[in-house]
Amino acid sequence: MALSCEALSPGLIREIEKIPGPHKVFAAIEDRLCYSYDGTFKTGVPGLVFKPTTTEQVSRLLSLASEAGVPVIPRGAGTNLSGGSVPVDGGIVLCTADMSRVLEISPADSLAAVEPGVITARFQRTVEAQGLFYPPDPASSEFCTLGGNIAEGSGGPRGLKYGTTRDYVLGLEAVLASGEVIKAGGRTIKNVTGYDLARLLVGSEGTLAVVTKAYLRLLPKPAYKRTMLAAFPALDDAGEAIARIIGLGTLPTTLEIMDGFAIRAVENFLGIGLPAWAQAMLLIEVDGHREAVESQIPGLEMACLGAGAKEIRVANDEDEAQDLWRARRSVSPAVTQLAPNKITEDATVPRSQVPEMIRRLQGIRDRYDLPLVIYGHAGDGNLHPNIAADKDDAELMKRVERAIEEIFEVALDLGGTLSGEHGIGLLKRPYLGMELGPAGLEVTRRIKSALDPKNILNPGKII
């Protein structure tokens, strides 16, 4: 049962209001409703919303909540796609959006120190103005926060060449459920002092601690890039092209795929001249020194043409490249036009299994008669089957649930995993045992119990 605002004692609310001042604590129902949902169809109204600006304030809030046994749900911008930031059991939403300072950018150490509420794309533009580069680029980068990216272990299209958020976190400052502040990792690239607590916290979805500061690794900004679209009359042709591209011995920055349903959904949504006849489309980008990048373009074109591509477009400048990327970044909103709700999965398989995974996804789509759109990061095997649905249609949702379970079974059968970048949260929680097994689940429970013995941090998520 959701915890109402009234269920929090007046005395506790008064003590919480003393921490940052009443203008940072929200108890009115219209305010609390704004924090009752994320990027999924799951909802839950919190009893209180708390927006700190310092680590000390987070520490004091968690200390009070721990003493009272009140759940605390960490939240960034609420773009989560697994239900991880939904306060399903009420409690206090701890929103870090106002902790939004870039504390330091050090070109000498190739790092930045940031607070969790910094918007990802804004941070990327800030460091790029200094000739530096922060590669992780989730599709929601214009809205999502770095703290949320750390909590979920976010990735994005550039994961093929550059890796995910986990690969760029050098150190963290975090607050445990008890209110104690810990430091994990630090400012150095090499650090093997004790257990790797920083990597444990990355992807822990706010269930183990609340991140209040992060040291992020930066790279030199690539000097040049080119972007290409290749359209294919058959899915297998696109799969062959992926194999040929990887076989060239070069590693593209991105290697994205959209199936025919995704292409047509976006074209119906935007009307931007996508090849609606195509059954598959690849979006390829390479970066580096100009000469090296330009030398790769003919090979990429030949790989696609040799696999059966019937249309290739190479962007001539940044504006044309952004036009191509607009199609890829619009798949998710395009799917929302098909039904009241959208379920976004991110089952991930070894790269060599991408064509087979897509074929099986198409079979699931036909078998359960669902509007299932397939796209994702073909280069690293991270696919995003999106199902347009209506949560109020009981019969439809039964088919959706059966389809989702089968998607996970197929991913694991092909040597993959339940999630590549969205996290487990609420939506994948029932399936975690399929991948971890009994012993793995028990270890996960022990870690949770050790760091949060009262189970107040984002309870009910992951396990």
Side-chain angles (χ1 to χ4, degrees):
M1 181 176 68
L3 187 68
S4 69
C5 181
E6 291 75 17
L8 290 164
S9 73
L12 177 60
I13 294 176
R14 284 195 297 271
E15 288 300 309
I16 291 173
E17 287 179 335
K18 292 177 183 177
I19 299 174
H23 60 291
K24 291 291 186 180
V25 179
F26 304 90
I29 184 61
E30 57 267 29
D31 291 320
R32 293 186 284 131
L33 284 171
C34 294
Y35 296 85
S36 65
Y37 58 90
D38 61 4
T40 68
F41 60 88
K42 295 290 186 178
T43 59
V45 182
L48 204 66
V49 177
F50 178 84
K51 299 185 74 174
T53 56
T54 68
T55 300
E56 180 186 7
Q57 291 172 0
V58 175
S59 174
R60 290 173 63 190
L61 182 279
L62 285 173
S63 180
L64 287 172
S66 179
E67 184 177 344
V70 175
V72 175
I73 299 86
R75 176 188 172 100
T79 59
N80 182 264
L81 291 170
S82 62
S85 55
V86 176
V88 287
D89 295 317
I92 302 168
V93 163
L94 193 166
C95 178
T96 59
D98 288 349
M99 299 180 72
S100 57
R101 295 179 298 165
V102 176
L103 301 170
E104 176 190 4
I105 297 175
S106 173
D109 291 329
S110 298
L111 66 80
V114 300
E115 291 183 327
V118 176
I119 300 297
T120 304
R122 189 178 305 163
F123 173 66
Q124 290 171 324
R125 288 191 285 268
T126 299
V127 300
E128 286 179 15
Q130 298 194 32
L132 299 168
F133 182 48
Y134 181 69
D137 61 331
S140 57
S141 61
E142 291 290 344
F143 318 104
C144 63
T145 63
L146 291 171
N149 296 169
I150 291 167
E152 298 301 319
S154 300
R158 291 196 289 248
L160 169 60
K161 181 175 181 178
Y162 290 106
T164 64
T165 298
R166 176 174 276 113
D167 301 303
Y168 294 88
V169 175
L170 296 173
L172 297 172
E173 175 185 82
V175 185
L176 299 177
S178 62
E180 297 169 282
V181 179
I182 65 168
K183 291 179 171 59
R187 297 175 60 96
T188 59
I189 293 175
K190 292 182 178 179
N191 186 332
V192 292
T193 302
Y195 296 126
D196 195 343
L197 298 180
R199 289 183 73 87
L200 173 64
L201 295 182
V202 176
S204 63
E205 303 186 36
T207 64
L208 302 180
V210 178
V211 171
T212 55
K213 180 180 179 180
Y215 291 104
L216 301 178
R217 180 186 176 199
L218 303 176
L219 302 179
K221 181 182 176 182
Y224 187 70
K225 64 183 178 182
R226 293 294 300 274
T227 308
M228 172 191 302
L229 178 153
F232 300 84
L235 172 66
D236 285 348
D237 296 340
E240 173 64 21
I242 292 169
R244 290 185 179 219
I245 289 168
I246 300 302
L248 292 173
T250 60
L251 195 61
T253 312
T254 65
L255 183 50
E256 301 288 290
I257 192 166
M258 293 167 56
D259 79 344
F261 278 72
I263 295 168
R264 287 180 282 281
V266 172
E267 183 59 21
N268 289 337
F269 178 52
L270 295 177
I272 56 176
L274 291 181
W277 56 266
Q279 294 304 309
M281 186 176 86
L282 295 181
L283 186 62
I284 309 158
E285 190 166 273
V286 289
D287 66 12
H289 294 293
R290 184 184 186 103
E291 295 79 9
V293 170
E294 290 292 353
S295 70
Q296 294 178 56
I297 298 301
L300 292 170
E301 291 179 319
M302 290 302 298
C304 292
L305 291 170
K310 299 302 181 185
E311 182 178 342
I312 291 180
R313 305 177 191 174
V314 180
N316 292 310
D317 53 36
E318 182 61 20
D319 288 341
E320 290 187 14
Q322 288 306 313
D323 285 343
L324 296 180
W325 274 109
R326 185 183 173 206
R328 168 61 180 83
R329 295 189 184 278
S330 296
V331 178
S332 186
V335 176
T336 64
Q337 309 302 305
L338 304 178
N341 306 113
K342 176 175 70 69
I343 300 169
T344 303
E345 293 301 344
D346 72 323
T348 304
V349 296
R351 186 168 56 210
S352 62
Q353 297 292 342
V354 166
E356 178 61 21
M357 182 66 184
I358 293 179
R359 277 190 289 271
R360 296 207 197 179
L361 287 172
Q362 291 175 323
I364 291 171
R365 174 170 59 204
D366 296 339
R367 190 156 46 255
Y368 295 103
D369 188 25
L370 293 171
L372 190 154
V373 175
I374 305 165
Y375 66 100
H377 318 306
D380 58 23
N382 184 195
L383 295 176
H384 294 309
N386 276 211
I387 302 175
D390 182 351
K391 65 182 179 62
D392 296 324
D393 185 333
E395 191 279 330
L396 172 64
M397 291 307 293
K398 286 181 181 179
R399 285 186 282 128
V400 169
E401 290 171 6
R402 291 197 300 270
I404 289 173
E405 182 170 5
E406 191 167 331
I407 287 171
F408 294 146
E409 289 173 349
V410 168
L412 295 176
D413 181 57
L414 296 176
T417 181
L418 300 179
S419 178
E421 58 189 12
H422 291 171
I424 299 301
L426 282 172
L427 297 186
K428 296 187 182 73
R429 184 184 64 182
Y431 311 104
L432 189 63
M434 293 169 57
E435 181 168 345
L436 297 188
L441 279 177
E442 180 58 26
V443 169
T444 303
R445 292 192 183 99
R446 290 179 187 177
I447 293 172
K448 169 67 171 173
S449 179
L451 295 182
D452 182 15
K454 293 186 177 181
N455 192 30
I456 68 163
L457 271 178
N458 216 5
K461 312 299 170 53
I462 303 181
I463 55 173

